[in-house]
Amino acid sequence: MKPAERLYARASRALADGQLDLARETAERLVERAPRFAPGHALLGAIHQQRRDWASAVACHRDAAALSPDDPAVLNNLGLALREAGDAAASAEALREAVRLRPDYAIALNNLGLALLALDDVPGAVRAFQDAVCAKPDYARARHNLGNALRRSGDRPAGLAELREALRLDPLYAEAWNSFGAARHEDGAYREAEDALRRALHIRPRYPKALLNLAHLRGDLERTDDALALYRQALALEPGYVKALLGVASLLQRTGRSASALEAADAAVARAPRTAEAHAQRASVQRAAGRLADALASYEQALALDASQHGARAGRLELRSEQCDWRDRDADVAVLREESRRALARGDVPPLTASAAHRFVPCTAEEQRDLARAASARIAARLAPLRESLALVPTGARHERLRVGYLSCDFRNNAVGHLTQGLFRAHDRSRVETFAYSFGPDDGSRYRRRIEEDAEHFADVSALGHAEVARRVHADGIDVLVDLVGGAGNGRLEILALRPAPVQVHFLGYPATVGRALVDYFVADPVTVPAGAEDGFDEAVVRLPGSYQLNDDRQEVASQTPTRAECGLPATGFVFACFNASYKIDPEIFGAWMRILSRVSGSALWLPETAPAAPNLRREAAARGVAPDRLVFAPLVDKPLHLARHRLAGLFLDTPLCNAHTTASDALWAGLPVLTTAGRTFASRVAASLLTAVGLPELIAPGLDAYVETAVRLASAPAALKTLATRLREDPARRPLFDTARTVGQLEAAYARMWERFRQGEAPAAFAVDPA
């Protein structure tokens, strides 16, 4: 045996025995003594790979390739090292050359597929893996990679079939069990997912990726402590494991532990400052903690690193919308709508939430439905094992009175809390027994106290988990459970997914479909959901005869009106007002408002004070030729005083994309006419519903041009405007909107009919409540 061959054999044995230092020293002597011996350079490269010294590995494999440029195995090793070193493009080039030299080289084809995946060339990767499988049908590793690539391409069934075949070929293939478990988790097959992941860990107990995926699964199943323990096990095996740190951050954020969540997110960014996902997750945590400027900066950083981080794009758009910062708005909206459509077609999670689709993104009702349907189905599938274990079987037993439960986080000083002030007082206690379940904070306000006093049964369940709340609702024997939050960010749709009540309804708090996987009925009216618009809803639509919106007919308005000076308004001139949330203001409606101000000399626009929206809006006004000081910003004040200051305005200007809801009924209650347009979604038709209910349909403009003309005309016609205000204060037609007992009676009739359909074994179906 020649000296070079002896050194090669000695280094190879040391490598096989795990003696990496000895192997490296021996291989270095080998390449020093035999610099033209290509296998020596390749062996030293393999040793560096074992030591995770990727730069040195690449250098050695390049030397080997220079000596043996026509050796497919050498080029394969070079391609593998380049991919691990982060140069996927160079890796693919080397591997393509290897495959050109040997077209049936299955290992190189498999590695080529991995390099192409790193380049986001999923179709190319699928073809490479298919070629590898064709060259070697029993190649389990290629089958495994093909399965993952097919699922990534959107062909989930074919991908799952390849993963199953990989496991048939190699039942002890831990990576395939891990991928199969992650795939089944993604598909909502939670028991099968857990079994697969546990199998992976049985084969390889110290397997961080499987621990990570099992932690994700346990977190989704509400087993928070188990999930955190698994994340920590993964981190103990691989300190600084970024995905595990992000998992910890996400889980802690969901469970309200903001400070600890932020620590984990910061650690992930520190560990991987060039990883867009880490910045995007930190943004989400920062936002939940109220650090909005930091969150916006983190979203920007995520997108700078990876423009395909569409979740970060959606988060940035929402924060910017709240601040009336409209940079890149049209482009972001277009990208997010298209990417969401594609994601839904693939069965993936879309970047747009159903909530965003009605609040500040111009989507159709059908788009809103598709987003909500997918989201509710994911929640229902995720909670299915827990639901089965709880076995909250509806009995259909008839009680002396119909038991109606209301589920909300908003029994406090906020919009829904204001609207529901008279709800429990107005229920007919001879027919209905009411239960209020509050999972929001107790703010100590008079609104909270009144609801606590008026509800027959009030339960603060804010400290309880989803399962505990569901058990409580079921134990109370609730017949009809009414959700008042829906898909808003502070909702707990997981409780509805556990199906604690035989009939589940959404009412009032969320102006878009929630999803039939969670609720059976959606309460609307003939204006918010006109005939033919039911396709925008996944639930059965129930129409009340007037407006769906419940109001408090005892809402206090301060008797004394503040002065213009006290409110920062100019001493003279017409005052237009819009007290809607800032995210509802978009460039189109703001441009219309500026045209109105330009045509009504000396007029002012009165808006709620929201930093940093105010400086952005002033800047936008100046850009449209309107003096910034014609925008006046109203600070937050107590509700009775806020209603009283409406008297200083002449006309409330609505926002078409997402209307004034509670703010519109507040204006009408205070005697201030509201000008709106009627769109094609529930959220864009609420003000039209309210105006119809108070007998002022002429204030529903047919389009934005007519809206502008009407505003200008009314501001220039004090007598006409006074007539509208007088009709609001004196005309009996306004009474149905503010007749609390009447609206609650209609709700009771709806609940009774829903309950009777259930008792008769009939599926939920749309119906209209009689106006009696």
Side-chain angles (χ1 to χ4, degrees):
M1 181 182 291
K2 295 179 180 180
E5 294 172 346
R6 284 197 297 272
L7 285 171
Y8 184 88
R10 192 180 304 160
S12 298
R13 284 196 301 271
L15 176 60
D17 293 340
Q19 300 178 46
L20 296 184
D21 289 340
L22 177 60
R24 178 178 54 81
E25 292 169 4
T26 305
E28 285 174 347
R29 288 201 304 274
L30 169 61
V31 298
E32 182 181 345
R33 294 180 184 181
R36 304 292 299 171
F37 184 50
H41 291 280
L43 178 58
L44 183 56
I47 293 166
H48 284 310
Q49 285 176 251
Q50 287 293 313
R51 296 169 62 86
R52 305 181 73 82
D53 182 354
W54 306 116
S56 297
V58 168
C60 290
H61 287 305
R62 284 196 189 279
D63 289 340
L67 293 167
S68 298
D70 296 329
D71 188 335
V74 169
L75 291 167
N76 173 69
N77 292 336
L78 174 59
L80 181 58
L82 283 164
R83 179 171 62 82
E84 294 289 1
D87 193 345
S91 171
E93 183 181 353
L95 291 162
R96 284 194 180 98
E97 180 61 14
V99 171
R100 186 189 68 78
L101 292 166
R102 182 179 162 189
D104 63 348
Y105 192 0
I107 294 174
L109 286 163
N110 180 64
N111 286 330
L112 175 59
L114 293 172
L116 293 173
L117 279 182
L119 292 169
D120 286 326
D121 181 1
V122 179
V126 168
R127 289 192 297 271
F129 293 134
Q130 287 173 335
D131 289 344
V133 167
C134 185
K136 189 178 181 183
D138 61 350
Y139 190 7
R141 189 168 298 276
R143 293 275 186 187
H144 165 245
N145 291 331
L146 175 58
N148 286 334
L150 283 167
R151 288 184 65 84
R152 189 165 159 183
S153 74
D155 193 346
R156 291 188 174 189
L160 195 65
E162 291 295 341
L163 291 175
R164 290 188 192 278
E165 180 61 13
L167 289 168
R168 187 191 68 79
L169 291 168
D170 186 355
L172 298 179
Y173 189 1
E175 289 88 345
W177 282 113
N178 175 59
S179 293
F180 185 76
R184 298 310 282 150
H185 180 189
E186 192 176 53
D187 294 340
Y190 289 86
R191 284 201 177 88
E192 196 173 2
E194 171 130 1
D195 289 344
L197 292 169
R198 289 169 66 89
R199 183 75 173 269
L201 287 165
H202 177 75
I203 296 167
R204 190 194 300 177
R206 298 172 62 82
Y207 188 5
K209 286 185 179 179
L211 288 166
L212 176 82
N213 285 326
L214 188 56
H216 291 337
L217 178 67
R218 296 275 176 84
D220 278 354
L221 293 174
E222 308 299 320
R223 295 168 62 179
T224 304
D225 291 341
D226 286 353
L228 284 173
L230 288 162
Y231 283 130
R232 289 179 178 129
Q233 285 181 50
L235 286 164
L237 292 171
E238 189 176 324
Y241 188 8
V242 172
K243 289 185 180 293
L245 288 168
L246 294 177
V248 170
S250 177
L251 190 60
L252 292 174
Q253 175 192 336
R254 277 162 38 201
T255 53
R257 288 172 272 186
S258 297
S260 297
L262 197 53
E263 286 180 13
D266 285 342
V269 170
R271 181 73 178 185
R274 303 291 301 170
T275 301
E277 183 185 0
H279 289 278
Q281 181 63 61
R282 180 164 70 168
S284 178
V285 174
Q286 289 167 330
R287 183 175 175 185
R291 293 172 49 176
L292 302 185
D294 290 340
L296 189 55
S298 293
Y299 281 134
E300 297 280 12
Q301 184 62 35
L303 288 166
L305 290 167
D306 181 2
S308 69
Q309 276 282 330
H310 298 303
R313 188 179 304 279
R316 183 183 71 174
L317 176 62
E318 184 163 7
L319 279 180
R320 283 182 171 181
S321 296
E322 291 170 356
Q323 299 173 7
C324 297
D325 177 352
W326 301 319
R327 289 175 294 163
D328 309 312
R329 176 184 171 84
D330 290 345
D332 283 347
V333 165
V335 168
L336 290 169
R337 288 180 71 180
E338 178 59 21
E339 288 298 325
S340 295
R341 184 192 64 77
R342 292 177 180 175
L344 290 173
R346 293 192 306 265
D348 290 340
V349 178
L352 274 180
T353 63
S355 175
H358 80 261
R359 293 170 65 236
F360 55 87
V361 177
C363 291
T364 66
E366 290 71 25
E367 285 177 296
Q368 294 176 6
R369 176 203 62 207
D370 292 345
L371 289 165
R373 180 181 288 165
S376 64
R378 286 195 302 273
I379 294 170
R382 174 162 59 85
L383 274 295
L386 182 58
R387 177 184 172 187
E388 290 176 15
S389 68
L390 290 174
L392 304 178
V393 180
T395 63
R398 187 183 294 276
H399 304 111
E400 184 178 339
R401 294 179 289 163
L402 186 69
R403 295 186 181 181
V404 177
Y406 290 92
L407 182 66
S408 182
C409 61
D410 292 325
F411 293 138
R412 54 195 171 98
N413 183 14
N414 83 342
V416 173
H418 298 170
L419 294 176
T420 55
Q421 281 296 281
L423 171 64
F424 296 98
R425 179 195 74 239
H427 266 300
D428 182 353
R429 292 200 176 190
S430 69
R431 299 170 54 209
V432 176
E433 185 176 3
T434 60
F435 297 73
Y437 302 98
S438 173
F439 59 84
D442 180 354
D443 61 357
S445 66
R446 62 181 180 274
Y447 301 99
R448 169 73 169 216
R449 298 285 86 83
R450 182 173 170 186
I451 291 171
E452 288 179 343
E453 292 166 4
D454 287 350
E456 284 190 73
H457 310 277
F458 186 95
D460 185 338
V461 297
S462 58
L464 302 183
H466 305 316
E468 288 77 11
V469 177
R471 286 194 190 97
R472 173 66 184 269
V473 171
H474 187 262
D476 287 338
I478 298 301
D479 301 318
V480 179
L481 181 63
V482 184
D483 164 56
L484 297 174
V485 184
N490 49 2
R492 288 177 65 178
L493 296 176
E494 293 86 352
I495 297 169
L496 300 173
L498 298 174
R499 285 284 172 175
V503 178
Q504 298 187 169
V505 185
H506 178 72
F507 169 60
L508 193 64
Y510 187 72
T513 184
V514 176
R516 185 170 283 196
L518 306 177
V519 296
D520 307 302
Y521 293 94
F522 187 97
V523 177
D525 61 53
V527 176
T528 51
V529 185
E534 299 85 352
D535 282 350
F537 289 80
D538 205 28
E539 312 86 347
V541 175
V542 172
R543 293 180 177 87
L544 302 188
S547 174
Y548 82 99
Q549 193 188 79
L550 173 70
N551 279 279
D552 177 22
D553 56 11
R554 299 183 185 178
Q555 186 166 214
E556 179 188 355
V557 182
S559 57
Q560 186 169 349
T561 305
T563 66
R564 281 187 171 229
E566 288 171 336
C567 292
L569 293 166
T572 60
F574 193 88
V575 177
F576 296 100
C578 178
F579 295 122
N580 290 357
S582 55
Y583 67 80
K584 297 184 179 184
I585 304 173
D586 61 26
E588 185 177 24
I589 189 58
F590 190 76
W593 291 347
M594 295 306 99
R595 293 198 298 277
I596 292 168
L597 292 186
S598 296
R599 293 175 59 184
V600 180
S601 179
S603 61
L605 177 60
W606 201 10
L607 301 166
E609 187 173 75
T610 309
N616 288 333
L617 289 172
R618 286 196 173 103
R619 185 184 65 250
E620 293 289 344
R624 290 165 172 80
V626 175
D629 62 3
R630 293 180 69 182
L631 273 58
V632 180
F633 294 92
L636 185 67
V637 296
D638 196 38
K639 184 70 177 287
L641 178 58
H642 171 63
L643 292 172
R645 67 184 176 184
H646 280 69
R647 300 181 188 123
L648 300 176
L651 184 65
F652 188 106
L653 298 176
D654 194 18
T655 48
L657 179 61
C658 186
N659 287 173
H661 298 174
T662 309
T663 46
S665 53
D666 283 346
L668 296 171
W669 178 252
L672 177 63
V674 175
L675 177 64
T676 192
T677 63
R680 296 180 178 274
T681 64
F682 188 108
S684 66
R685 299 181 64 85
V686 170
S689 167
L690 305 181
L691 287 166
T692 301
V694 297
L696 293 177
E698 63 266 42
L699 290 178
I700 307 169
L704 205 54
D705 289 341
Y707 173 102
V708 170
E709 294 303 321
T710 303
V712 172
R713 175 176 57 80
L714 289 173
S716 306
L721 201 57
K722 184 177 180 180
T723 298
L724 291 173
T726 300
R727 285 168 60 189
L728 266 180
R729 289 192 296 270
E730 299 176 359
D731 193 327
R734 77 184 281 247
R735 292 174 187 164
L737 180 63
F738 298 108
D739 187 339
T740 307
R742 181 175 182 270
T743 303
V744 173
Q746 293 168 353
L747 284 170
E748 290 177 348
Y751 298 156
R753 188 163 170 182
M754 296 171 191
W755 174 241
E756 191 56 32
R757 286 191 65 86
F758 170 78
R759 283 185 52 81
Q760 296 298 323
E762 297 174 338
F767 63 86
V769 175
D770 293 334

